[in-house]
Amino acid sequence: NAAIGVAIAALDDQAVQLRLLDIQNDLFDLGADVATPGAVEGALRIVAGQVARLEVEIDTMNALLEPLTSFILPGGSVGVSSLHLARAIVRRAERAVVALDQEEPLNPHLMAYLNRLSDHLFVSARFVAAGEGGDVLWTPGKSRGD
């Protein structure tokens, strides 16, 4: 959540900022969900609609992007780099939640949300980069000196 806050502060695109603010609110819901596993009446849960919203936003941004032809490097601007960093943090959280789910079954929507969130942050980074001149592409073997 804090890494997303850093990304918001580094971005100029108000539409992306607003989507990220919604995600920050969702992450508090997600934290409450993780904190109260099992059948607890009245517990705040991530719901299918929150996951679906992420998927719609991903599809909307992706429709405006060129297809990937290379791996991309997490850079280009502070905003884009911040989104990539937040994505990496979400992937780490996703692995931790999957491990926790083995011990204490969790809400499957929570798991799906984290999975879609990392994709959302990746596509958001590409979306912002497109407005700033494009992705920073990986050049295989660039520094090998061949």
Side-chain angles (χ1 to χ4, degrees):
N1 207 330
I4 291 171
V6 170
I8 291 169
L11 295 170
D12 293 326
D13 187 317
Q14 208 168 28
V16 174
Q17 288 173 321
L18 291 173
R19 286 191 296 267
L20 293 173
L21 282 169
D22 286 342
I23 288 167
Q24 284 189 300
N25 278 285
D26 287 348
L27 288 175
F28 271 92
D29 293 354
L30 190 140
D33 197 341
V34 170
T36 54
V40 177
E41 179 138 356
L44 186 57
R45 301 283 181 224
I46 292 291
V47 296
Q50 288 166 296
V51 178
R53 189 192 79 242
L54 289 181
E55 291 174 346
V56 167
E57 291 174 0
I58 291 167
D59 291 345
T60 300
M61 288 184 287
N62 249 337
L64 300 171
L65 296 172
E66 295 294 324
L68 276 174
T69 59
S70 171
F71 287 110
I72 61 172
L73 301 176
S77 71
V78 174
V80 171
S81 299
S82 296
L83 288 165
H84 281 295
L85 178 60
R87 176 186 55 83
I89 291 167
V90 169
R91 283 286 190 214
R92 185 175 57 212
E94 184 181 14
R95 289 189 303 273
V97 166
V98 166
L100 177 60
D101 184 58
Q102 301 302 312
E103 301 296 321
E104 180 75 44
L106 298 172
N107 172 7
H109 298 302
L110 177 159
M111 314 274 275
Y113 187 91
L114 283 175
N115 179 268
R116 302 316 303 145
L117 177 56
S118 62
D119 287 348
H120 189 289
L121 293 169
F122 177 77
V123 174
S124 293
R126 291 201 65 226
F127 182 80
V128 171
E132 296 175 352
D135 295 314
V136 178
L137 300 179
W138 169 51
T139 304
K142 180 178 180 182
S143 62
R144 290 180 4 177
D146 294 347

